Amino acid sequence: MGSSSAFVAATIFLTLMLHESNAQLNSTFYANTCPNVSSIVSNVIQQALQSDSRIGASLIRLHFHDCFVNGCDASILLDGTASFLSEKNAAPNANSTRGFDVVDNIKTALENSCPGIVSCADILAIAAEASVSLAGGPTWNVLLGRRDSLTANQAGANSSLPSPVEGLSNITSKFSAVGLNTNDLVALSGAHTFGRAQCSLFVGRLYNFNGTGNPDPTISSSYLATLQQTCPQNGSGTVLANLDPSTPDSFDNNYFTNLQNNQGLLQSDQELFSTTGSATVSIVNSFSSNQTAFFQSFAQSMINMGNISPLTGSSGEIRSDCKKVNGS
């Protein structure tokens, strides 16, 4: 083999090796060690849905809030210890993230079936897909093989998670910081096609938006009246409103039609459509008119998000209890 062809062969080999190291996750990771993992997860979620119609949205949010902080490593599930503060108590998560009990139930079921095999980080990824699928949304092959962190990062949760009131350019930057683009941002925002939000997250839009003394002008007047009834000016901040007023528990593309009708619940929702000149507007229009395009983009963006900095190989561990590091 001539030196140039040997170099090309070596380059191809190196490229494949690099690709492998970036793509250590794969959809058949548990095929031999825990073949029923997906059905076990799905069954527990189906049970939970009987008494809690919003649990699917809560579970997908756990995966999102996990992946944006130190990657998809189940750090969000850890309770605090003497050596680190829990992400559960970070401002974006405290009194807001939920579903930890269902994750524990999934873990218990998996430990009974295949002990010590399935990571808590992978449980969150599988649960997100199952939750979407069970609500009528797309299905996808979840890539697996993540391992669980040995620590949490409360400061990172406070700084890295997008806030519903911080404006589209900041949110775009936070997505970009973890390798997600504008299409991912709009597609993943479509998860607000189901679930609820507390009044405290959007009451600022209803009466005195950004200190103007008036409501946010991008809320339709009829929707504003409805929301003001749900969330009176000095009422409880914990009252819940549907993120999608039209089909609150179904995974569909109505979220995007709502934005076109000025019926986005959160500021961060409505800004995707109402920010003049933003690249997000045409994507909202596309997803509103074509649910298949939304479903395909959503599935791919969930895979992209699930690929954020996973621990693989011998990094981290497989926790036996998702709330705590092994041996603690």
Side-chain angles (χ1 to χ4, degrees):
M1 192 187 285
S3 62
S4 64
S5 55
F7 174 74
V8 169
T11 306
I12 291 170
F13 177 71
L14 185 62
T15 306
L16 286 171
M17 289 289 288
L18 284 170
H19 181 70
E20 279 298 305
S21 67
N22 287 336
Q24 285 169 326
L25 304 184
N26 65 78
S27 60
T28 58
F29 191 82
Y30 298 113
N32 297 320
T33 53
C34 195
N36 298 325
V37 57
S38 295
S39 58
I40 292 170
V41 172
S42 187
N43 287 341
V44 175
I45 296 172
Q46 280 177 279
Q47 226 173 341
L49 280 166
Q50 307 285 311
S51 57
D52 182 1
S53 61
R54 59 190 280 236
I55 191 62
S58 299
L59 290 169
I60 197 173
R61 186 164 180 251
L62 283 180
H63 182 44
F64 161 42
H65 281 214
D66 179 34
C67 290
F68 267 64
V69 183
N70 289 17
C72 310
D73 62 354
S75 57
I76 193 170
L77 302 177
L78 288 171
D79 290 337
T81 69
S83 53
F84 60 82
L85 298 170
S86 175
E87 292 173 24
K88 295 177 184 180
N89 298 325
N93 295 329
N95 303 312
S96 167
T97 45
R98 59 194 297 278
F100 298 105
D101 53 335
V102 177
V103 174
D104 288 339
N105 292 344
I106 293 170
K107 183 61 174 172
T108 299
L110 287 169
E111 288 301 301
N112 288 338
S113 183
C114 20
I117 298 296
V118 182
S119 68
C120 300
D122 277 346
I123 287 173
L124 292 180
I126 299 166
E129 191 276 344
S131 297
V132 170
S133 168
L134 288 167
T139 61
W140 61 93
N141 288 325
V142 182
L143 302 185
L144 301 165
R146 300 168 192 80
R147 289 166 65 86
D148 298 325
S149 70
L150 304 177
T151 188
N153 182 1
Q154 188 183 101
N158 278 320
S159 62
S160 301
L161 287 167
S163 153
V165 297
E166 70 180 328
L168 182 55
S169 60
N170 276 17
I171 291 173
T172 302
S173 298
K174 287 184 175 181
F175 272 72
S176 180
V178 291
L180 299 176
N181 64 24
T182 302
N183 198 73
D184 295 315
L185 164 60
V186 179
L188 293 171
S189 295
H192 288 173
T193 178
F194 64 171
R196 320 278 180 264
Q198 298 181 33
C199 287
S200 59
L201 290 178
F202 58 88
V203 72
R205 304 180 68 205
L206 306 184
Y207 303 99
N208 181 21
F209 183 58
N210 290 347
T212 59
N214 294 305
D216 183 338
T218 65
I219 307 179
S220 80
S221 54
S222 59
Y223 190 45
L224 176 65
T226 302
L227 293 178
Q228 287 177 333
Q229 279 192 308
T230 305
C231 307
Q233 194 147 17
N234 296 305
S236 165
T238 59
V239 172
L240 298 172
N242 294 323
L243 282 158
D244 174 356
S246 55
T247 50
D249 295 321
S250 299
F251 199 100
D252 53 35
N253 67 334
N254 286 353
Y255 167 84
F256 298 102
T257 309
N258 297 339
L259 300 186
Q260 293 173 321
N261 295 329
N262 293 98
Q263 293 184 349
L265 183 64
L266 306 178
Q267 179 185 333
S268 53
D269 293 322
Q270 193 57 49
E271 285 191 357
L272 297 174
F273 182 73
S274 297
T275 305
T276 310
S278 170
T280 56
V281 177
S282 63
I283 305 173
V284 169
N285 291 335
S286 162
F287 291 163
S288 171
S289 64
N290 186 340
Q291 181 166 277
T292 303
F294 165 50
F295 278 13
Q296 288 174 339
S297 283
F298 184 81
Q300 185 57 55
S301 292
M302 285 297 292
I303 292 167
N304 296 345
M305 185 177 79
N307 280 336
I308 299 171
S309 308
L311 298 171
T312 57
S314 58
S315 302
E317 65 179 14
I318 307 297
R319 281 182 221 144
S320 54
D321 178 343
C322 291
K323 295 184 294 294
K324 55 189 190 198
V325 174
N326 292 344
S328 64

